[in-house]
Amino acid sequence: MINRSRLAALTAVLLLGASASSPVSATGTRTTDLPGTAGSADAGNSRRPENRPAAGVDPLYSRTAPAPAPDTLPGSPWLYADTELEAWRLHLMRQRVKEARLRVRYPGNYYEPSNRAYFRIPASVDAHYPRWVSLNAYGNVRVMMDGQTIYTGAASTSPHKFKLSTPGTLMVALTTEQEPPALWVEKGEFATGNPLWQASADSLSWSYPCAYPRHKDGTLPHRFETPTVRLQPASQNDTLYDFGRELFGFIVLKADSKPQFFAGESILEAVDTAARPREQSFDLEAAGKGLWRSVTPVAFRYAYLPDGASVQTVACDAYAHPARYRGDFHSADTLLNDIWFKSAYTLRLCMHEFLMDGIKRDRLPWAGDLAMSMMVNAYTFADREIVRRTIAMLGREGIAQTDINDIADYSLWWLIAQDRYQLFFGDRLHLQREWPRIKKALNVLESRCDQNGILTDSIRWLFIDWVDVEKENALQVLWWWAQQSAVSLAERMGDKPLAAYWQKKSDALKSVLLARGYDPVRQAWRGKPDGESKPNRHANFLAVISGLATPSQYPGILNILGDTTVTAVGTPYMAGFEYMALSRMRAPERMLKQMKEYWGGMIAQGATSFWEGYDANEDEVKQYGFYGRPFGKSLCHAWSSGPAALIPSELLGIRPLSDGWATFEIDPQVPASMQPFEATIPTPYGDIRVWLRDNQLKVEVPQGSTAKFRGKSYTSAVPLKVRL
């Protein structure tokens, strides 16, 4: 193991010689131009990208197009039965977690993919008969017309052709050995782009199929892997290599014989060669003559090769989910700019088949984490599909046996996420698929309540946050929020009786919580709904952001959140929600100060992505520990990416009011220290572009949407331009 004095010298050299703006070379697919932010209010020219934090952190930073470029094709998509592809991808992810020997546990029940699928579509009455039909499928094929078999075929990469003699209901049944069946028809009446197709895994329950584009190389959608890009170290000192930023991918070494290899998110972790169970596998395998590649992907910034004299080159085939930075932010506050971009980069690293929690561990999706990462995604990449897949997969099995992720509050966050997903992305087809599962989950949760509507029964794990405080009232606040979400979802589905039912239930629960969960003396929410316990932090800020708390309660809540004797949050995850609450209570200066101290503290420690947990009082050794393990803490965790959403949603006050940003509000609380600033917020209608200089606010509204500001409406034809 490297000695301490030598470690200090290496650290000093690397940190001085490899700043966040250190150059990095790449081979393979990547963007060649790195455009800057939206043009300023005074000039339409873009800022030079090399002057922005983005240029030095993400080597694939692009605002013009997804990078790497997607390899998909236009035209009719592949169809899968509802959530079957997602279930298969989760199955593979869980296998790979085991292969990488990650020290994680993934509790809960998850839907196992079916090896059967059924697809049906009406054949038109007035079409010419007889007629020939050609289809492609993954799986053995049986075609039926009105229940009668008219064609069978073994699995083949060639098209299946059959003749229809009469109109009716065409059904295609597919079976496979293990992988999910899939169907593709290129053109004609039965093209898989036709919205009349329905799908089922059991031929009993039917829903809209899930559609995925074809890939240029013919890879089936369920076999597609996140692309990788070859990256080189930013600097080297002796046998310690610094890649300049957090990465997730496969280490590639050139050496005459298999070298010893270690890596870490920090220097301390990289050079720790002690014999102990590790957070990741560093096994290497031959990848060609004189080439060695890590067997499983590694999350790291630093690579350490003790016998590095025999190593000629070091590189990383880094995972790179095709992403375009549609959102952007730049202000006079350079630290805030840095925080915004590193927050976005944190999320980008965690974007794979799903929005997963972290790249060192757990490399899996969690419903509570999604509450924050979905919002960040909406304000940065606006990648609707990855959010849809994550929500759908997490709730597919239902909660009759266990909560989602086996965590009581995560079932509630899943319901809340369904409502917020519609606000950000307006995906009605997804809601139609999910609606039966949403109603079943609500029924299960209601069955767990006592006579007062308090959620009590079958709670195996109440998480809320990694901190030891009373959490029961925070759970009830989330339960109230989930009921309000149910009202909104039922209204979207046109189910007025169910909307009225859950509105009545949430009103009753609110009355109970005011009587038992609110302290009228301290004017704040208690830790338990028992009429006796003291207020705590989590119940109060969740009451604000959920809408349960009223403005008359804000002074008392602000006092609780400012009381240093009240236990602090344990993660950047919950810190993000607390700072959101400060903004909603009109305390932007306080929010900004605390956010910069918290996330800026991680940057001061060398962070290029944000950590699973952070405590400024921990020393250099303790700050990397978690779960009683010296390097158990993930230094890239999606739930810690909050500022990329909080800055535009809270300081600029730009939030959707109706689904898919059809209408949105503008409620800025921008301190003078941030001006001038520019921001871009992506929406399905196009980008909202904002400029503020000397308290002169200008907002460009996307065509088709409407902005609400101080009681007035603004559209693309009448942009907002006012003095604050």
Side-chain angles (χ1 to χ4, degrees):
M1 183 175 178
I2 197 167
N3 64 52
R4 286 281 171 178
S5 60
R6 188 177 174 216
L7 172 60
L10 286 172
T11 303
V13 170
L14 282 172
L15 293 181
L16 287 173
S19 66
S21 60
S22 296
V24 62
S25 61
T27 60
T29 305
R30 62 167 298 172
T31 54
T32 55
D33 60 329
L34 301 179
T37 77
S40 70
D42 300 321
N45 297 325
S46 296
R47 294 179 182 272
R48 294 178 60 82
E50 60 268 27
N51 295 328
R52 298 177 50 69
V57 177
D58 188 346
L60 293 179
Y61 174 74
S62 174
R63 292 207 60 232
T64 56
D71 74 338
T72 54
L73 294 168
S76 296
W78 280 95
L79 298 184
Y80 290 76
D82 182 20
T83 325
E84 293 297 326
L85 178 146
E86 290 83 355
W88 174 253
R89 295 306 303 183
L90 180 64
H91 171 75
L92 292 181
M93 288 180 76
R94 296 177 73 181
Q95 280 188 342
R96 290 169 182 176
V97 164
K98 293 180 180 178
E99 291 167 1
R101 301 197 297 273
L102 302 185
R103 303 175 68 184
V104 301
R105 185 174 72 93
Y106 195 55
N109 289 338
Y110 301 95
Y111 174 77
E112 290 297 326
S114 173
N115 67 338
R116 296 179 178 272
Y118 302 84
F119 300 90
R120 70 183 184 187
I121 189 172
S124 59
V125 174
D126 57 354
H128 175 70
Y129 292 96
R131 58 183 302 185
W132 286 92
V133 177
S134 176
L135 63 83
N136 291 73
Y138 179 71
N140 301 309
V141 178
R142 181 162 66 103
V143 179
M144 292 161 280
M145 178 60 80
D146 289 338
Q148 298 297 313
T149 299
I150 61 173
Y151 172 83
T152 59
S156 172
T157 57
S158 299
H160 298 267
K161 296 182 179 181
F162 54 90
K163 185 170 66 174
L164 293 183
S165 299
T166 60
T169 298
L170 176 69
M171 181 185 294
V172 182
L174 303 178
T175 59
T176 63
E177 291 297 320
Q178 186 179 24
E179 299 175 61
L183 175 70
W184 174 55
V185 181
E186 182 177 10
K187 56 187 177 180
E189 178 186 357
F190 305 115
T192 42
N194 189 330
L196 295 179
W197 278 105
Q198 292 183 312
S200 173
D202 57 11
S203 76
L204 300 175
S205 301
W206 294 87
S207 67
Y208 292 103
C210 293
Y212 301 90
R214 293 178 298 129
H215 292 280
K216 294 176 183 177
D217 64 0
T219 301
L220 289 163
H222 71 270
R223 291 178 177 172
F224 177 73
E225 299 289 344
T226 302
T228 60
V229 175
R230 178 67 57 87
L231 300 177
Q232 311 296 337
S235 64
Q236 172 190 356
N237 190 46
D238 197 11
T239 58
L240 185 63
Y241 296 79
D242 180 5
F243 280 77
R245 74 273 299 140
E246 185 87 3
L247 294 174
F248 180 46
F250 297 88
I251 284 288
V252 181
L253 308 173
K254 185 176 182 181
D256 294 333
S257 59
K258 183 189 286 190
Q260 234 188 341
F261 158 66
F262 300 92
E265 295 181 299
S266 64
I267 294 177
L268 280 178
E269 183 180 18
V271 301
D272 180 37
T273 60
R276 63 160 68 96
R278 300 192 176 278
E279 299 299 327
Q280 308 178 78
S281 169
F282 298 141
D283 293 343
L284 298 173
E285 62 184 359
K289 186 176 181 180
L291 288 177
W292 307 91
R293 192 173 190 259
S294 59
V295 176
T296 57
V298 179
F300 76 107
R301 173 176 173 175
Y302 301 96
Y304 178 53
L305 293 100
D307 49 353
S310 64
V311 177
Q312 289 105 54
T313 62
V314 178
C316 175
D317 286 343
Y319 279 125
H321 176 81
R324 172 189 167 200
Y325 286 84
R326 287 188 58 192
D328 192 44
F329 172 75
H330 185 78
S331 76
D333 190 323
T334 56
L335 175 57
L336 200 62
N337 299 340
D338 204 15
I339 290 172
W340 186 94
F341 185 77
K342 287 175 179 173
S343 296
Y345 182 63
T346 299
L347 184 70
R348 199 258 170 91
L349 288 173
C350 296
M351 294 168 69
H352 292 265
E353 291 90 346
F354 309 106
L355 286 170
M356 61 188 195
D357 63 336
I359 59 176
K360 183 163 73 175
R361 24 150 299 274
D362 300 344
R363 302 181 190 174
L364 290 163
W366 296 77
D369 307 44
L370 181 64
M372 179 60 74
S373 59
M374 175 179 65
M375 181 172 65
V376 176
N377 175 287
Y379 280 92
T380 52
F381 304 104
D383 186 338
R384 185 180 85 167
E385 177 59 17
I386 197 171
V387 179
R388 183 203 66 77
R389 290 199 302 264
T390 308
I391 295 176
M393 183 281 304
L394 284 167
R396 180 65 171 86
E397 182 65 15
I399 61 171
Q401 295 182 350
T402 66
D403 281 297
I404 294 176
N405 301 129
D406 206 19
I407 303 176
D409 37 312
Y410 278 29
S411 291
L412 305 180
W413 278 123
W414 179 78
L415 288 166
I416 295 165
Q418 294 279 12
D419 179 39
R420 292 175 65 77
Y421 174 69
Q422 293 301 321
L423 264 181
F424 288 127
F425 297 104
D427 187 353
R428 189 56 57 89
L429 181 59
H430 166 82
L431 180 56
Q432 290 171 334
R433 291 194 198 101
E434 293 287 286
W435 186 233
R437 290 189 279 272
I438 291 170
K439 291 192 292 185
K440 287 180 181 178
L442 288 165
N443 290 338
V444 171
L445 290 166
E446 185 177 17
S447 72
R448 298 178 184 175
C449 293
D450 65 14
Q451 66 274 17
N452 294 309
I454 298 292
L455 192 59
T456 59
D457 193 25
S458 301
I459 297 175
R460 300 187 188 183
W461 180 9
L462 175 55
F463 173 66
I464 302 295
D465 191 9
W466 283 125
V467 63
D468 186 16
V469 296
E470 294 175 333
K471 302 176 180 180
E472 290 84 347
N473 214 29
L475 179 70
Q476 307 313 318
V477 173
L478 288 177
W479 177 216
W480 179 86
W481 193 358
Q483 292 178 6
Q484 285 289 294
S485 298
V487 173
S488 297
L489 293 167
E491 289 173 344
R492 290 183 180 96
M493 291 299 297
D495 193 335
K496 293 183 179 180
L498 194 63
Y501 177 83
W502 282 108
Q503 185 62 60
K504 183 178 179 180
K505 298 290 288 187
S506 68
D507 289 343
L509 179 60
K510 183 174 183 177
S511 296
V512 170
L513 293 180
L514 282 169
R516 299 172 54 183
Y518 183 73
D519 184 340
V521 176
R522 297 197 67 179
Q523 296 183 322
W525 295 86
R526 303 181 187 277
K528 293 182 178 181
D530 58 2
E532 299 176 356
S533 58
K534 297 179 180 179
N536 80 353
R537 190 173 298 274
H538 295 74
N540 279 280
F541 63 71
L542 289 174
V544 172
I545 65 174
S546 67
L548 177 63
T550 61
S552 64
Q553 297 169 354
Y554 288 174
I557 293 173
L558 282 168
N559 286 336
I560 292 298
L561 298 186
D563 188 342
T564 57
T565 66
V566 177
T567 303
V569 297
T571 57
Y573 167 48
M574 282 293 148
F577 289 128
E578 178 174 350
Y579 301 160
M580 182 187 295
L582 290 175
S583 171
R584 301 289 170 94
M585 293 186 291
R586 317 305 291 184
E589 293 278 8
R590 184 166 150 188
M591 169 203 173
L592 184 61
K593 178 178 181 295
Q594 292 182 215
M595 187 168 65
K596 287 172 64 176
E597 289 175 349
Y598 196 80
W599 276 271
M602 286 182 266
I603 289 176
Q605 297 293 327
T608 59
S609 59
F610 292 125
W611 306 351
E612 179 180 13
Y614 177 66
D615 183 345
N617 297 315
E618 291 179 334
D619 62 27
E620 184 184 20
V621 175
K622 288 184 178 180
Q623 67 185 357
Y624 301 128
F626 227 52
Y627 308 111
R629 308 196 300 265
F631 301 107
K633 184 179 293 180
S634 164
L635 301 193
C636 177
H637 228 64
W639 76 11
S640 304
S641 60
L646 297 177
I647 291 169
S649 73
E650 305 308 318
L651 292 176
L652 306 184
I654 298 179
R655 297 182 285 265
L657 295 173
S658 58
D659 289 354
W661 296 83
T663 58
F664 61 92
E665 67 176 328
I666 304 171
D667 183 21
Q669 302 181 78
V670 183
S673 61
M674 286 174 58
Q675 300 183 35
F677 78 72
E678 308 167 9
T680 302
I681 296 94
T683 82
Y685 291 92
D687 294 342
I688 302 168
R689 299 176 65 181
V690 185
W691 299 270
L692 181 61
R693 182 187 296 272
D694 300 327
N695 281 338
Q696 291 279 356
L697 177 66
K698 178 183 176 182
V699 180
E700 287 186 0
V701 181
Q703 187 173 3
S705 63
T706 301
K708 302 287 186 179
F709 177 73
R710 294 180 178 174
K712 295 183 179 180
S713 297
Y714 299 85
T715 65
S716 59
V718 186
L720 172 63
K721 192 173 183 180
V722 299
R723 183 170 184 82
L724 297 180

